[in-house]
Amino acid sequence: MRKKITKSLFKNLNSEPEFKEQSNTEAIELKKQVISSLLDQNLATFKSIFSVPLNTDIMVREFTIRSLNRRAFIIFVGTMVDLEHIKESIMEKLLGNEHSSTKIQDIVSFPMAKMATNIGEITDFISGGITALFVEGDPECYLFETTKIHGRSIEKSDNEVIVKGAKEAFNENVVDNIALIRKKIKNENLIVESQVISKRSKDSVFLVYEKDLVNDELLQMIKEKLSSFNSDKIIDLSILEQYLEEHPRSIFPTMLYTERPDRAAAFIEEGHIVLLMSNSPSCLVLPTTFWALMHSPEDHYLRTPYGNFIRLLRFLALFVAIFASPFYIAITNYHVGMIPPDLLMAMAGSRERVPFPSIIEILMMEIGFELIREAGLRVPSPIGPTIGIVGALILGQAAVQANIISPIVIIVIALSGLSSFIIIDGSMNFAIRISRFLFVISAGFFGIYGVMALYTVGLFYLVSLKSFGIPYFAPMTPHFTSSKDLLVRHIPIKEKFRPGYVKPKDMVKQRKG
């Protein structure tokens, strides 16, 4: 009996050589209808919707429920379900005759997800890995949670590496990702809300928040934004981010993209909203400020003096990554009087045989450094580090020996490049690297005045940015009540308030004992 059932699950028991193809209008109208109590009509309907037998991984099994003496059929996507569970817990129970109950729920020893009547809703469930059971004479369809999609296990974070703290990261299975957050927030107020955001592919996004903390206006704004999309397909959070952002052409990100569940949980506890999607090993945190993009989870895992040390080092690296190359160009071309005489003589000696002006030197080495960085990322992992090390050493040494580049330029580019690696957020890292080229060009044309003018304009621009109505530099400017965890973090016992810019329902996160 078991062998026979298993074999029948893997083959389509339909004898029709072809199916009747429907137009888009007919398919849309059909999905708005409810199922019939006539089994043959339901069978024909769903064979037509799923293009059976042309669609080879759609399994349909017709049989008779012996204890009820009624015909029935199940339909599921064979590549997305647990076939053993279907065989043992559904098929064998329905085909057996030892049950005296007249209720399907009592016969099947498998948890039922729900019952449904709408054809479109049932179709969406089947496409997501749910098994649908239709029984002759029943006006409702029985849906069983049999989804089993293979994917990566929970592994370490690749892009947000920390020394002290949790090591687990999100994977492509959204169920695992939600479980990782729930493991850290054991609170009945944690809400996981689903919303469909694409028309054809029925891609869903999960909004995760705490209902007793989140600001209702902010939540409604995000929901309205998600429901406004008119796209056939949004398959990943990285694409969703580009739909959501208010300034799509800005080089500075206004949303935080993280693959760490501990970081996501920390933002949820402050009143933020986290977005998750299937097939995305990460989450989006809304809204986001400049300070959130510059902070690291390790700032809080380490003791306060250590955390402040690496945080201040990170902000120093930010300025070095942006201004090291522009300042070198500005000083050597326009402001040589600022250089001490001994250092000026050493620099002049090193550049004596170099035929290019300093801006050309810097641009050549900056572009070369970016090429090496990208090559190291794109090639297979065993070769990547080798390309980075060998490429930098060989190119740098050869350029100096050929008198194309001066040795001091190699030092400036290396210092600037290393500093950019300390910026942990990938989008912010890109923004810093692109900004550096803009400052290099401004320094080449206008010297230190061009650098400061561009810096002032850039600062005004950043202050004008908003993320879902939240100013980019909040809570510093404009001022909001917060724990003042911006440049320097306080000891944990002093961090009493949640960030006021998200307007949480409960501002106090730590009360006096």
Side-chain angles (χ1 to χ4, degrees):
M1 172 67 77
R2 289 195 174 190
K3 289 183 178 179
K4 184 178 180 181
I5 293 171
T6 304
K7 288 180 180 179
S8 66
L9 289 174
F10 283 95
K11 68 179 181 178
N12 204 318
L13 300 180
N14 302 281
S15 57
E16 293 88 350
E18 59 183 15
F19 64 94
K20 181 182 177 182
E21 188 173 351
Q22 295 176 320
S23 66
N24 287 337
T25 305
E26 290 174 344
I28 292 172
E29 289 300 321
L30 179 61
K31 289 183 178 180
K32 294 179 180 179
Q33 300 175 14
V34 296
I35 62 173
S36 169
S37 58
L38 300 175
L39 189 72
D40 291 333
Q41 183 176 336
N42 291 331
L43 183 61
T45 297
F46 282 90
K47 280 184 179 180
S48 175
I49 290 174
F50 285 100
S51 305
V52 176
L54 179 65
N55 214 346
T56 54
D57 69 337
I58 302 297
M59 306 298 175
V60 179
R61 172 72 162 96
E62 298 178 61
F63 56 93
T64 299
I65 303 175
R66 295 188 182 180
S67 59
L68 302 179
N69 195 25
R70 291 160 68 185
R71 295 170 55 226
F73 75 90
I74 61 171
I75 180 170
F76 56 88
V77 183
T79 52
M80 297 181 67
V81 299
D82 190 332
L83 291 169
E84 286 297 317
H85 276 174
I86 294 175
K87 179 190 72 171
E88 296 175 1
S89 303
I90 300 177
M91 291 298 300
E92 289 183 358
K93 302 298 182 181
L94 293 173
L95 291 174
N97 55 8
E98 68 274 11
H99 298 282
S100 58
S101 175
T102 58
K103 292 184 178 180
I104 297 295
Q105 298 93 321
D106 297 333
I107 298 175
V108 177
S109 62
F110 197 88
M112 187 180 299
K114 64 178 297 184
M115 298 172 69
T117 58
N118 180 264
I119 292 177
E121 184 182 6
I122 297 170
T123 301
D124 292 340
F125 276 115
I126 296 172
S127 300
I130 301 293
T131 296
L133 168 65
F134 295 84
V135 180
E136 188 175 27
D138 282 3
E140 291 184 303
C141 165
Y142 303 91
L143 300 168
F144 300 94
E145 179 60 72
T146 54
T147 309
K148 185 179 181 181
I149 304 175
H150 296 284
R152 285 192 308 147
S153 60
I154 298 172
E155 300 171 354
K156 290 184 179 180
S157 172
D158 292 328
N159 300 319
E160 297 175 78
V161 181
I162 65 173
V163 177
K164 194 174 183 180
K167 299 295 189 290
E168 58 194 8
F170 290 131
N171 61 20
E172 286 77 9
N173 189 343
V174 71
V175 176
D176 290 343
N177 297 342
I178 294 171
L180 287 172
I181 293 178
R182 284 202 176 273
K183 187 173 76 170
K184 291 171 172 56
I185 306 178
K186 301 178 180 67
N187 192 316
E188 69 279 3
N189 292 305
L190 181 66
I191 303 297
V192 180
E193 189 175 346
S194 175
Q195 186 169 338
V196 177
I197 54 173
S198 61
K199 307 297 182 184
R200 180 178 292 273
S201 297
K202 304 295 182 183
D203 301 301
S204 294
V205 63
F206 295 86
L207 295 88
V208 187
Y209 57 90
E210 288 200 48
K211 67 178 182 180
D212 61 337
L213 288 180
V214 71
N215 180 268
D216 292 330
E217 292 181 6
L218 174 63
L219 179 62
Q220 187 60 33
M221 183 193 303
I222 294 174
K223 286 182 179 180
E224 289 175 359
K225 183 75 172 178
L226 290 171
S227 61
S228 67
F229 302 148
N230 191 21
S231 174
D232 279 354
K233 187 166 189 164
I234 303 176
I235 60 173
D236 191 86
L237 274 176
S238 301
I239 299 174
L240 178 63
E241 177 185 5
Q242 298 173 60
Y243 277 87
L244 282 171
E245 58 189 354
E246 300 172 32
H247 307 276
R249 292 179 177 84
S250 172
I251 63 172
F252 285 89
T254 53
M255 275 172 276
L256 177 64
Y257 187 90
T258 179
E259 59 185 20
R260 298 189 59 87
D262 56 338
R263 198 176 187 194
F267 278 106
I268 292 171
E269 290 280 13
E270 289 185 342
H272 292 259
I273 298 168
V274 164
L275 302 185
L276 296 169
M277 280 186 72
S278 293
N279 309 315
S280 296
S282 55
C283 72
L284 282 178
V285 178
L286 310 176
T288 300
T289 64
F290 172 81
W291 310 107
L293 294 164
M294 288 299 298
H295 292 169
S296 166
E298 201 163 29
D299 297 351
H300 291 269
Y301 286 133
L302 295 173
R303 293 183 62 245
T304 304
Y306 313 151
N308 280 329
F309 173 74
I310 63 170
R311 179 176 288 185
L312 294 175
L313 193 65
R314 193 179 305 118
F315 280 103
L316 175 63
L318 170 67
F319 283 94
V320 172
I322 295 177
F323 294 114
S325 297
F327 276 178
Y328 172 78
I329 294 171
I331 291 173
T332 54
N333 283 2
Y334 299 96
H335 314 287
V336 291
M338 298 174 63
I339 307 173
D342 292 341
L343 179 59
L344 180 62
M345 294 298 293
M347 291 173 61
S350 67
R351 297 196 71 254
E352 185 178 4
R353 297 183 180 180
V354 177
F356 304 111
S358 57
I359 185 172
I360 301 299
E361 285 185 272
I362 291 291
L363 283 175
M364 284 195 302
M365 290 308 297
E366 287 283 7
I367 293 172
F369 192 91
E370 293 297 330
L371 288 173
I372 293 171
R373 185 203 299 251
E374 288 302 309
L377 288 174
R378 307 305 167 197
V379 299
S381 54
I383 312 174
T386 306
I387 286 182
I389 296 171
V390 175
L393 288 175
I394 292 177
L395 283 178
Q397 184 66 24
V400 170
Q401 289 183 348
N403 294 321
I404 298 175
I405 303 294
S406 60
I408 194 168
V409 169
I410 300 294
I411 297 172
V412 171
I413 296 300
L415 186 62
S416 176
L418 287 174
S419 297
S420 68
F421 283 118
I422 301 179
I423 311 300
I424 63 168
D425 185 81
S427 298
M428 180 60 77
N429 192 288
F430 270 110
I432 299 305
R433 289 155 61 186
I434 295 172
S435 299
R436 183 163 65 232
F437 280 98
L438 298 178
F439 278 103
V440 164
I441 293 170
S442 66
F445 283 100
F446 304 106
I448 199 75
Y449 300 107
V451 173
M452 295 312 298
L454 183 60
Y455 174 73
T456 304
V457 171
L459 201 58
F460 273 102
Y461 171 71
L462 288 177
V463 170
S464 71
L465 287 180
K466 290 186 177 181
S467 175
F468 292 92
I470 305 302
Y472 203 50
F473 277 105
M476 177 179 283
T477 175
H479 176 73
F480 288 92
T481 302
S482 70
S483 293
K484 301 179 181 178
D485 181 21
L486 302 178
L487 295 174
V488 178
R489 65 158 276 229
H490 301 285
I491 58 175
I493 199 171
K494 295 291 185 181
E495 297 181 356
K496 297 182 178 180
F497 299 103
R498 293 184 172 87
Y501 54 83
V502 294
K503 298 180 176 64
K505 293 175 182 175
D506 184 4
M507 274 293 300
V508 182
K509 67 177 179 181
Q510 188 167 209
R511 293 168 174 80
K512 294 181 180 179

